[in-house]
Amino acid sequence: MIRPPFPTCFLQWGIPMRERTSGRTVGGFRNVFLQGPAVTLLLLWMLVPLGMTLWFSFQRYNLINPMISGFAGWDNYTYLLTDPALWTAMGNTLLLVGWVLAISVIGGTLLAVLFQQEFFGRGIARLLVIAPFFVMPTVGALVWKNMLMHPVNGVFAWLSDLLGLPVIDWFSSMPLTSIIIIVAWQWMPFALLILLTAIQSLDDDQVEAARMDGAGPLAIFWFITLPHLKRAISVVIMIEMIFLLTIFAEIFVTTSGGPGLASTNLAYFIYIRALLDFDVGGASAGGVIAIILANIVAIFLIRTVAKNLET
Amino acid sequence: MATLQLNNIVKDFGGTQVIKGVDLEVKDREFVVFVGPSGCGKSTLMRMIAGLESTTSGEIAIDGQRVNEVGPADRGLAMVFQSYALYPHMTVEDNMGFSLRLAKVPRAERREKVLAAARILQLEPLLDRKPRALSGGQRQRVAIGRAIVRNPSIFLFDEPLSNLDAALRVQMRIELARLHEELDATMIYVTHDQIEAMTMADKIVVLQDGVVEQIGSPMELYHHPRNRFVAGFIGSPKMNFLEVEVRGADAEGVDVALPGGDCRVPVAGDGVSAGDTLTLGIRPEHLVLDEAGPLTGRIQVIERLGGVTSLYLEHGDSEWILVADGNVAHRVHDEVRFTFDPACAHLFTADGLALAHLTRHPLADIDRKENRASSASDGR
Ligand SMILES: Nc1ncnc2c1ncn2[C@@H]1O[C@H](COP(=O)(O)OP(=O)(O)OP(=O)(O)O)[C@@H](O)[C@H]1O
Ligand SMILES: [Mg+2]
């Protein structure tokens, strides 16, 4: 019914003998038959919920009041789009996605370079730094909430107490920032994992040639390593983006979207509509808007990524 | 202008010695080739010269200055890698100009230098391409161009042509030789290819297991190998070896027993006495088919190359190779008789050292430059 915004443009049919801009030919007619079953299944899997969401979004459908029913026209949408809460939620979503992406990609890249170096205990260190990714989002968020960011018995409170600084009540004074920190902590290991494997495929000869050309560590990072990682970084951005647009558990267990709407993102907003207000029609409309938003982002993203992948 | 001296350099990789004390003197503008079996340490030695690998002990000096502690970029060397190691995301021009860009050379001057190098290598039409869109030979030329742009005093090449097909190798070989003359630079070159080594080198360094076996001009190594390893390694097909018994020896020669009668080899026989066992070495191209020859063999395999024919012979319990002219009509299983000129034969003692020839081969000291029309005319 309410489905996460998954970019539909991931689907691709095998078209007989296409030609890339570079002049290389790809694919063949046979693709259709080989990919057919999988693609059909995927289509059904996606289209049925999508169709239902679309259908409900044009219905008057409230779980509390079964008397309200029938075709609603664009009412659900106009009601939503004129609701300032939607725009707040959208802004929060973009802030959340943008910041987490920035932190995890930049941090992941730097960590990848660091963990590529030889040092004692590297294997253990790698394992530890990747561990947050395997912690369930709810558990991770609860640990942050109760053990780290708690204003009374959290580690941060204890630290600032130790240093004589005022104690910060993270979730009430900077709710969105706190959630960004938690989500970035979860996703940085993912970026690190992908980028570390990418960095390991960098040709040693290239680095040595650059050294002979007079490049220091910084120049090697900037001119050799970073361009080499470009592809992997675009893949990380793409995958993280898809998951970050639908962040829910972290918000649910920490701030519950509050105070007010300060940490409500689109997914959480839809949840408020559907399950707190019992307004299925309105929530479905929100879902459709989320799908559209995700697709707009994905189209831009996939374009740039595809361009990166080709060269 | 650059000379290079290696003084007893050693490389230790965590307990295993890979280079075991190498001494080498490279003169200005010399073309030195390192050859040796796979894993003997050629690349390691070259990387130590380049500064990419530290030196465990010993001294590396360029123009008389110790450079052990100098970084690779500041030694004034340029290296061309076997894998080309071009930067895949940069255009040919950026690849070639990368060192200048790092040195903060202004754009216009950079372009000028890159263009000059591109002109030498006929790369001008390709300057805007990415390495991906180049053929193997073109990539190789870009890699060489990148080295030229830095205007190094010494060029290092690690098997630069081994990824190219045979025809392109010949072409690049000639181009490299031309480049060597044009740039007046000192070059050090690692190769597996006998022909490259013999045709390009002023001086060949034969390495085995991290030890220098012999250093000399190509003709010197061919005609006067210092030991059995060098004799077997230089020359293709390989030299034939046979254990022989000494009948008599003096300073004027050594008499050895062959299956078809005795034979006097003109090498210094000091220290050898009758009854000793030596190894006779004779190159396939110095064996001659002869109905009255003292040696016999049964043909196992015939390789006809058109111009020459290689016969693989069963000779006693060893296999010998004989290179005859292209028109021999023999068939497999034929019994052939053959002979050789004793002056071309080599004798090795039990520990592998060669007995010195009494007369030096007339071409042993020939200068490589004398083989080229362009530089011969310089000496008018
Ligand atoms: N980093 C290293 N650690 C330990 N041993 C090494 C290392 N690099 C090279 N070796 C060893 O040093 C020896 C020489 O290697 P090197 O690459 O110099 O050989 P090579 O003569 O260039 O061989 P090839 O002709 O196959 O390129 C080899 O036995 C190799 O296993
Ligand atoms: Mg090598």
Side-chain angles (χ1 to χ4, degrees):
Chain A
M1 186 183 346
I2 298 155
R3 49 182 304 286
F6 189 82
T8 45
C9 44
F10 270 118
L11 287 182
Q12 220 181 36
W13 285 99
I15 303 160
M17 276 297 257
R18 282 168 300 132
E19 200 172 309
R20 288 206 192 131
T21 42
S22 62
R24 289 174 194 233
T25 53
V26 282
F29 190 66
R30 242 176 17 182
N31 282 3
V32 176
F33 300 104
L34 292 177
Q35 296 174 351
V39 171
T40 312
L41 199 69
L42 196 60
L43 261 184
L44 282 178
W45 198 266
M46 289 184 45
L47 284 184
V48 171
L50 180 67
M52 284 176 74
T53 311
L54 269 174
W55 168 251
F56 284 133
S57 74
F58 288 106
Q59 295 288 316
R60 286 183 216 288
Y61 187 177
N62 195 305
L63 295 173
I64 295 183
N65 193 346
M67 302 305 287
I68 307 174
S69 68
F71 186 66
W74 292 99
D75 278 2
N76 283 332
Y77 287 93
T78 44
Y79 177 59
L80 251 183
L81 290 174
T82 50
D83 183 354
L86 175 80
W87 301 105
T88 315
M90 239 185 235
N92 284 343
T93 308
L94 292 183
L95 275 177
L96 181 65
V97 171
W99 275 109
V100 172
L101 272 182
I103 295 172
S104 64
V105 167
I106 294 174
T109 310
L110 296 180
L111 279 180
V113 173
L114 183 69
F115 279 88
Q116 171 69 0
Q117 315 297 321
E118 301 265 344
F119 57 84
F120 179 74
R122 183 172 69 168
I124 302 269
R126 277 185 184 175
L127 202 67
L128 284 179
V129 81
I130 287 166
F133 191 56
F134 299 108
V135 179
M136 275 183 284
T138 11
V139 175
L142 280 175
V143 167
W144 275 85
K145 181 185 179 182
N146 294 324
M147 300 178 76
L148 294 169
M149 287 174 160
H150 197 279
V152 179
N153 39 23
V155 172
F156 293 163
W158 175 75
L159 267 181
S160 41
D161 229 16
L162 212 65
L163 300 172
L165 298 172
V167 171
I168 305 167
D169 184 1
W170 288 87
F171 289 107
S172 53
S173 60
M174 39 178 98
L176 194 59
T177 313
S178 310
I179 287 173
I180 288 172
I181 292 173
I182 296 174
V183 176
W185 170 82
Q186 273 177 345
W187 282 92
M188 185 128 71
F190 173 75
L192 169 64
L193 200 63
I194 304 271
L195 296 178
L196 192 59
T197 30
I199 233 175
Q200 280 167 345
S201 73
L202 177 58
D203 189 8
D204 281 343
D205 280 357
Q206 256 181 58
V207 175
E208 291 187 336
R211 274 177 69 200
M212 299 272 322
D213 273 344
L218 275 182
I220 289 179
F221 175 75
W222 189 252
F223 291 112
I224 310 293
T225 313
L226 215 50
H228 175 78
L229 289 181
K230 209 166 76 177
R231 254 172 212 232
I233 287 178
S234 6
V235 169
V236 167
I237 290 180
M238 192 160 88
I239 294 176
E240 283 199 6
M241 177 91 89
I242 292 162
F243 285 94
L244 292 179
L245 279 170
T246 62
I247 286 292
F248 178 81
E250 291 85 344
I251 297 173
F252 183 74
V253 301
T254 54
T255 63
S256 299
L261 290 171
S263 57
T264 298
N265 70 349
L266 218 46
Y268 201 80
F269 178 73
I270 296 167
Y271 163 77
I272 293 177
R273 265 294 135 82
L275 291 174
L276 301 185
D277 301 350
F278 300 100
D279 177 6
V280 177
S284 296
V288 172
I289 289 172
I291 294 169
I292 292 168
L293 183 76
N295 272 282
I296 291 172
V297 172
I299 286 169
F300 277 116
L301 208 71
I302 286 172
R303 252 202 217 141
T304 43
V305 170
K307 221 161 56 191
N308 268 344
L309 291 184
E310 238 175 53
T311 51
Chain B
M1 279 296 290
T3 62
L4 171 76
Q5 290 91 33
L6 306 183
N7 292 329
N8 193 23
I9 62 170
V10 171
K11 179 70 196 180
D12 217 330
F13 277 122
T16 41
Q17 260 195 14
V18 172
I19 301 290
K20 301 167 185 163
V22 167
D23 291 297
L24 177 66
E25 168 101 39
V26 179
K27 296 203 209 70
D28 187 34
R29 293 178 199 177
E30 209 167 26
F31 199 117
V32 176
V33 173
F34 293 171
V35 295
S38 192
C40 69
K42 305 181 293 290
S43 300
T44 308
L45 190 56
M46 175 159 279
R47 291 163 53 79
M48 286 163 78
I49 296 171
L52 294 172
E53 210 83 70
S54 64
T55 309
T56 309
S57 75
E59 187 185 68
I60 301 175
I62 294 175
D63 284 332
Q65 300 284 319
R66 180 185 161 96
V67 293
N68 286 35
E69 287 76 29
V70 178
D74 303 320
R75 293 191 182 186
L77 313 173
M79 181 151 168
V80 176
F81 293 79
Q82 178 177 359
S83 62
Y84 315 136
L86 299 178
Y87 313 125
H89 48 274
M90 295 187 200
T91 61
V92 168
E93 183 176 349
D94 290 342
N95 259 286
M96 289 170 64
F98 187 56
S99 56
L100 300 178
R101 180 169 171 190
L102 290 173
K104 305 223 163 38
V105 173
R107 187 177 288 268
E109 189 185 338
R110 198 159 80 205
R111 187 164 173 83
E112 199 176 298
K113 285 190 173 161
V114 169
L115 275 178
R119 207 167 302 126
I120 297 176
L121 295 164
Q122 289 125 39
L123 283 172
E124 285 145 308
L126 307 177
L127 282 179
D128 293 326
R129 298 234 197 127
K130 293 265 176 72
R132 237 171 81 89
L134 300 177
S135 74
Q138 289 166 338
R139 283 178 207 185
Q140 185 59 66
R141 291 219 295 275
V142 174
I144 295 172
R146 189 169 64 182
I148 292 177
V149 166
R150 295 189 52 205
N151 193 22
S153 49
I154 303 180
F155 282 87
L156 305 173
F157 295 92
D158 192 353
E159 305 193 35
L161 307 187
S162 55
N163 290 344
L164 305 181
D165 73 59
L168 204 50
R169 258 156 112 142
V170 174
Q171 190 194 330
M172 288 301 295
R173 203 166 73 211
I174 294 170
E175 234 166 276
L176 272 177
R178 182 177 59 86
L179 206 63
H180 181 227
E181 270 172 36
E182 211 166 306
L183 297 176
D184 270 339
T186 309
M187 293 191 174
I188 300 179
Y189 191 102
V190 170
T191 183
H192 269 127
D193 187 308
Q194 292 266 335
I195 301 179
E196 278 173 32
M198 297 303 271
T199 56
M200 298 167 83
D202 290 313
K203 190 147 97 184
I204 296 181
V205 179
V206 183
L207 287 160
Q208 185 191 208
D209 278 341
V211 175
V212 173
E213 294 287 351
Q214 189 170 2
I215 301 178
S217 73
M219 288 304 108
E220 186 181 348
L221 297 194
Y222 183 85
H223 292 293
H224 300 287
R226 204 173 66 82
N227 57 29
R228 190 175 156 168
F229 175 79
V230 176
F233 193 80
I234 299 287
S236 167
K238 274 180 70 147
M239 185 182 273
N240 301 301
F241 294 105
L242 181 69
E243 303 256 295
V244 288
E245 199 186 313
V246 177
R247 284 288 148 84
D250 54 46
E252 262 74 75
V254 177
D255 286 311
V256 296
L258 285 178
D262 290 0
C263 158
R264 189 170 178 83
V265 182
V267 294
D270 317 284
V272 182
S273 48
D276 286 358
T277 303
L278 294 178
T279 305
L280 175 83
I282 179 84
R283 296 193 183 277
E285 54 271 33
H286 293 149
L287 290 175
V288 187
L289 289 174
D290 182 356
E291 291 305 324
L295 299 164
T296 63
R298 183 187 290 277
I299 300 176
Q300 299 293 316
V301 176
I302 303 181
E303 285 181 347
R304 296 185 189 278
L305 303 180
V308 294
T309 302
S310 303
L311 304 179
Y312 290 74
L313 306 170
E314 194 181 273
H315 177 267
D317 47 5
S318 58
E319 184 177 75
W320 277 37
I321 308 172
L322 183 156
V323 174
D325 79 282
N327 299 326
V328 291
H330 291 294
R331 300 182 161 263
V332 173
H333 297 315
D334 281 1
E335 189 92 8
V336 292
R337 302 190 74 83
F338 53 98
T339 182
F340 60 89
D341 176 4
C344 297
H346 305 267
L347 281 176
F348 304 98
T349 59
D351 52 5
L353 288 180
L355 299 177
H357 277 258
L358 293 176
T359 51
R360 212 166 150 73
H361 194 278
L363 294 179
D365 300 306
I366 196 164
D367 188 349
R368 181 181 56 94
K369 298 220 169 65
E370 291 170 36
N371 295 334
R372 282 181 212 286
S374 60
S375 32
S377 61
D378 289 350
R380 247 172 317 179

